[in-house]
C-alpha cells in the first residue's frame, strides 16, 4: 500500500525543518522523520498548522507514508551521516523511488551514491540548496542533479518551493546528471568567496587609502547598490558597515575578530580547479586570504614588518579614488565569475553533464547569496554564445572592462604603493592581462624545461616536437 505524502524529509534540524515547512506551505503533504523523535514532535507542535504533515517514528513508517514513486529528502550533515541514512532507507525503497540529498555533499560522493543506487533501481538526486535557513523556508536557489526521469517527477515541486527571480522565474533548473548539481553548488560557493573577498578589499581601500569611516563606506556601498553592482552581498555589506556595536559604541566591524574560516565548498572549488586545470586565481586568493587571516602565528609579524609611509588623500582625491574602486570592483567581479563559469564548463565537459551555463546564472538571481543584477547579463551572453569560453569573450563585458581598466590599474597600483593587501583585485587584473597578452613567458618556461629535463617544446613556425642539444652544439633535433 502506498501512503499519501508527496514528499518526505528526514533530518529535521533547522535546514530540514524549514524545507519541510516550505513544502507544506506550498500545499504538499509532507512526511516527517528524524533519528531523534523529539525533533519531529517539535516541528508538528510548533508548525503543524502550516500545512499537512505526517509525523512518523520508524524508517518503515516513514517510507510507508510516501506515495509512489516515493520522494525522500535527506537533510543531514554531509559525509558519513548521508551514507548512514541512505543505508537505512535504500533497502526499504522500490524501483523508481527517488532519494534527494539536499546537503552540501562533495560531487564525487554524489556520483558514487548515484551510481550505487542506480544499480538498485533508485534515483539519487544530489541537490545544491542555497540560501541558508531563511532560503530553505521562504524559497532557496535549488541546483538538482540526477536523472531526467527524477526531475520530471521532482522538478515541479522544486519549482514551487524555490525562490522566484524578479521576472517570476523559479530559481531552479535541472543542472545535469549525477553530481552536476552539487558541482555547481560548490562552484557557486567558490564564486561567493571571491565576491566577498573583493568587497572586503574594496572596503579596506576605502578605509585605509581614502580614510573613510565605516559609516561613510556604508553609504558608498548603498550608492553602488543602485548601479551595476546591485546585489545582495553589496546590500548587506552596507548594513554590516553601518551597524554600531551596542556594548562599546564602536563600529561593529572594528570589534569583530578579523579571522575568517574556509570550510568545505570554497576549498573544494580550488582543489577541483587544480585537477581540471582551470585557472581560478581570484577564487583561490579569496580562499587563501581567509587562510592568512586565520594564522595568528604568521600575523604576529604585524609587530615588526615595515610598510610604506602613510599618505592621506584630500577630500576631492578621496572621492575620485572611491569611484575608481567601484570600477576595480566591477572589473574584478567579472573576472571572478569568468573563472567560476569556466570551472563549471570544464566540469561539464569532463563528466559529460552538458550544463546550460546561462540557466545556471539565471537560478542564482534569487534565494542564494549571490543574487546579483548582472546575472541577467551573464545569461544573455551565454544564450547568444553557449560555447563561449569565459565571459570576457562576450563583447559587452569586454567593453565594460576596457572602460574600467585604467581605474582598475590605478587602484591596484595604489594598493601596492600604500601597502594595502588586495590579492583578489591583483589576481583578477593579472588574469585579465594574461588573457590579453600576445606572448606569455610560458615560452621561456618551455625553454628552461627543455634545458634541464629534455622535456621538449613545440615551435610557432612549424609542427612537430623539438629538443635542443643544450650540452652540445645547441642544434635542434626533432623528437
Ligand atoms: P538527530 O536530531 O537525531 O541528531 C543534523 O545533524 C540532522 O542530521 C539532525 O536531524 C540529525 O538527527 C541528523 N543526523 C545526523 N547524523 C545522523 C545519522 N548518522 N543518522 C541519522 N540522522 C542523522
Amino acid at each position: 500500500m502506498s501512503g499519501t505524502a508527496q514528499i518526505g524529509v528526514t533530518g529535521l534540524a533547522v535546514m530540514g525543518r524549514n524545507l519541510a515547512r516550505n513544502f507544506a506551505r506550498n500545499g504538499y503533504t509532507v512526511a516527517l522523520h528524524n533519528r531523534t523523535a523529539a525533533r519531529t514532535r517539535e516541528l508538528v507542535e510548533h508548525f503543524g498548522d502550516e500545512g499537512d504533515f505526517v509525523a512518523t517514528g520508524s524508517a518503515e513508517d516513514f517510507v510507508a507514508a510516501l506515495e509512489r514513486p516515493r520522494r525522500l529528502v535527506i537533510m543531514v550533515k554531509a559525509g558519513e551521516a548521508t551514507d548512514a541514512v541512505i543505508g537505512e532507507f535504500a533497502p526499504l525503497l522500490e524501483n523508481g523511488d527517488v532519494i534527494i540529498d539536499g546537503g552540501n555533499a562533495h560531487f564525487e560522493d554524489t556520483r558514487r551514491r548515484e551510481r550505487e543506487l542506480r544499480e538498485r533501481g533508485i534515483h539519487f538526486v544530489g541537490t545544491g540548496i542555497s540560501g541558508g535557513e531563511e532560503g530553505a523556508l521562504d524559497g532557496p536557489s535549488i541546483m538538482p542533479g540526477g536523472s531526467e526521469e527524477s526531475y520530471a517527477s521532482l522538478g515541479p515541486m522544486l519549482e514551487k518551493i524555490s525562490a522566484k527571480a524578479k521576472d517570476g522565474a523559479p530559481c531552479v533548473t535541472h543542472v545535469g546528471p549525477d553530481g552536476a548539481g552539487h558541482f555547481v553548488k560548490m562552484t557557486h560557493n567558490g564564486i561567493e568567496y571571491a565576491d566577498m573577498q573583493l568587497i572586503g578589499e574594496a572596503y579596506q581601500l576605502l578605509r585605509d587609502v581614502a580614510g573613510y569611516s565605516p559609516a561613510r563606506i556604508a553609504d558608498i556601498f548603498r550608492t553602488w547598490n543602485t548601479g551595476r553592482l546591485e546585489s545582495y552581498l553589496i546590500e548587506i555589506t552596507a548594513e554590516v558597515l553601518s551597524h554600531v556595536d551596542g556594548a562599546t559604541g564602536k563600529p561593529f566591524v572594528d570589534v569583530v575578530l578579523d579571522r575568517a574560516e574556509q570550510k568545505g565548498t570554497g576549498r573544494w572549488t580550488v582543489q577541483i580547479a587544480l585537477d581540471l586545470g582551470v585557472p581560478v586565481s581570484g577564487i583561490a586568493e579569496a580562499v587563501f586570504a581567509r587562510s592568512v587571516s586565520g594564522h595568528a602565528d604568521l600575523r604576529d609579524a604585524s609587530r615588526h614588518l615595515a610598510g610604506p609611509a602613510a599618505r592621506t588623500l584630500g577630500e576631492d582625491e578621496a572621492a575620485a579614488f572611491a569611484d575608481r574602486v567601484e570600477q576595480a570592483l566591477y572589473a574584478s567581479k567579472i573576472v571572478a565569475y569568468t573563472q567560476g563559469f569556466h570551472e563549471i564548463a570544464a566540469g561539464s565537459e569532463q563528466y559529460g553533464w552538458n550544463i546550460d551555463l546561462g540557466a545556471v546564472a539565471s537560478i542564482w538571481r534569487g534565494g542564494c547569496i549571490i543574487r546579483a543584477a548582472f546575472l541577467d547579463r551573464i545569461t544573455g551572453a551565454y544564450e547568444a554564445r553557449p560555447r563561449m569560453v569565459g565571459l570576457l569573450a562576450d563583447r559587452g563585458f569586454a567593453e565594460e572592462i576596457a572602460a574600467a581598466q585604467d581605474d582598475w590599474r590605478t587602484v591596484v597600483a595604489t594598493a601596492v604603493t600604500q601597502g594595502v593587501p588586495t590579492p583578489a583585485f591583483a589576481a583578477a587584473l593579472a588574469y585579465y592581462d594574461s588573457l590579453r597578452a600576445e606572448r606569455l613567458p610560458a615560452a621561456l618556461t618551455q625553454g628552461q624545461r627543455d634545458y634541464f629535463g629534455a622535456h621538449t617544446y613545440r615551435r610557432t613556425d612549424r609542427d612537430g616536437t623539438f629538443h635542443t642539444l643544450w650540452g652540445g652544439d645547441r642544434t635542434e633535433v626533432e623528437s
Side-chain angles (χ1 to χ4, degrees):
M1 212 194 76
S2 133
T4 56
Q6 289 134 313
I7 192 125
V9 181
T10 181
L12 299 175
V14 64
M15 284 295 287
R17 182 179 71 209
N18 283 358
L19 204 67
R21 291 172 61 198
N22 188 351
F23 276 114
R25 286 173 170 193
N26 277 287
Y28 296 111
T29 302
V30 186
L32 301 174
H33 176 268
N34 193 66
R35 179 177 60 184
T36 313
R39 282 199 205 265
T40 316
R41 274 201 305 276
E42 277 163 27
L43 198 165
V44 176
E45 213 169 281
H46 292 117
F47 308 106
D49 57 352
E50 291 184 355
D52 294 329
F53 295 105
V54 183
T56 68
S58 70
E60 288 78 9
D61 286 351
F62 180 55
V63 169
L66 296 168
E67 71 173 28
R68 287 167 64 186
R70 301 181 180 91
R71 288 174 285 255
L72 184 163
V73 183
I74 299 176
M75 290 300 287
V76 301
K77 195 168 176 294
E80 285 169 15
T82 311
D83 283 317
V85 175
I86 292 172
E88 187 180 0
F89 285 99
L92 305 173
L93 299 179
E94 290 170 285
N95 241 352
D97 287 349
V98 186
I99 296 180
I100 301 115
D101 173 21
N104 257 335
H106 192 291
F107 79 98
E108 292 281 20
D109 286 336
T110 302
R111 281 167 61 76
R112 169 178 58 78
R113 291 169 183 146
E114 196 274 340
R115 197 172 50 241
E116 289 168 0
L117 288 166
R118 183 163 15 102
E119 284 163 10
R120 302 162 71 167
I122 299 165
H123 297 284
F124 183 72
V125 180
T127 304
I129 299 182
S130 185
E133 297 172 21
E134 211 177 297
L137 183 62
D138 296 326
S141 170
I142 310 179
M143 296 157 245
S147 65
E148 289 282 353
E149 196 183 336
S150 61
Y151 194 76
S153 125
L154 187 67
M157 299 177 79
L158 297 182
E159 284 166 23
K160 209 140 181 209
I161 67 152
S162 73
K164 307 293 177 290
K166 280 188 185 143
D167 63 4
C171 292
V172 56
T173 188
H174 180 221
V175 176
D178 59 80
H182 275 138
F183 187 97
V184 164
K185 171 62 165 52
M186 169 193 82
T187 316
H188 162 282
N189 286 20
I191 292 174
E192 181 183 299
Y193 264 61
D195 223 339
M196 291 169 71
Q197 174 65 22
L198 291 168
I199 289 173
E201 291 177 14
Y203 154 74
Q204 194 76 41
L205 286 164
L206 294 173
R207 193 94 196 253
D208 293 352
V209 177
Y212 289 158
S213 69
R216 183 150 182 198
I217 300 170
D219 285 338
I220 291 172
F221 274 96
R222 269 188 205 104
T223 309
W224 289 353
N225 200 40
T226 62
R228 60 188 178 173
L229 281 170
E230 183 196 334
S231 62
Y232 174 71
L233 279 173
I234 297 279
E235 179 191 324
I236 67 164
T237 299
E239 292 303 311
V240 174
L241 286 175
S242 58
H243 180 53
V244 173
D245 176 53
T248 59
K250 290 182 184 167
F252 169 77
V253 73
D254 287 347
V255 297
V256 175
L257 192 67
D258 58 347
R259 286 186 210 160
E261 305 212 350
Q262 46 101 20
K263 295 186 286 198
T265 43
R267 188 173 66 225
W268 292 344
T269 307
V270 180
Q271 287 173 336
I272 303 303
L274 291 173
D275 292 340
L276 292 171
V278 178
V280 293
S281 48
I283 299 172
E285 287 296 356
V287 176
F288 287 141
R290 291 197 190 186
S291 177
V292 167
S293 80
H295 276 286
D297 44 355
L298 280 177
R299 294 179 63 194
D300 263 354
S302 67
R303 294 199 218 122
H304 67 267
L305 292 180
R311 180 177 162 266
T312 33
L313 301 181
E315 186 61 25
D316 289 349
E317 256 185 317
F321 182 72
D323 289 342
R324 291 199 170 103
V325 173
E326 192 270 349
Q327 300 275 0
L329 179 54
Y330 187 68
S332 301
K333 183 169 162 134
I334 292 173
V335 167
Y337 281 66
T338 294
Q339 296 181 344
F341 276 89
H342 185 187
E343 181 161 349
I344 295 174
S348 180
E349 179 77 26
Q350 172 77 18
Y351 299 103
W353 288 327
N354 200 18
I355 297 175
D356 178 340
L357 299 173
V360 167
S362 79
I363 64 167
W364 293 346
R365 290 179 301 165
C368 67
I369 287 171
I370 285 182
R371 257 189 268 171
F374 94 141
L375 288 166
D376 275 330
R377 302 260 321 281
I378 298 181
T379 303
Y382 279 114
E383 275 170 2
R385 298 177 63 189
R387 300 248 148 255
M388 180 173 75
V389 181
L391 295 173
L392 298 178
D394 176 74
R395 198 171 290 272
F397 282 121
E399 281 169 5
E400 279 183 309
I401 285 214
Q405 70 163 317
D406 286 349
D407 286 339
W408 192 13
R409 292 179 194 288
T410 304
V411 166
V412 172
T414 306
V416 171
T417 50
Q418 304 252 23
V420 179
T422 53
F425 273 10
L429 181 54
Y431 177 89
Y432 176 68
D433 282 332
S434 297
L435 300 201
R436 245 180 14 81
E438 261 177 54
R439 297 278 299 158
L440 289 170
L444 176 58
T445 306
Q446 291 301 80
Q448 292 164 330
R449 293 177 68 246
D450 190 59
Y451 189 104
F452 66 64
H455 290 295
T456 72
Y457 52 88
R458 283 174 295 147
R459 296 182 55 99
T460 56
D461 54 356
R462 53 184 203 274
D463 289 341
T465 307
F466 302 92
H467 168 57
T468 295
L469 301 171
W470 296 102
D473 62 1
R474 302 203 167 181
T475 54
E476 184 178 85
V477 290
E478 194 157 1
S479 59

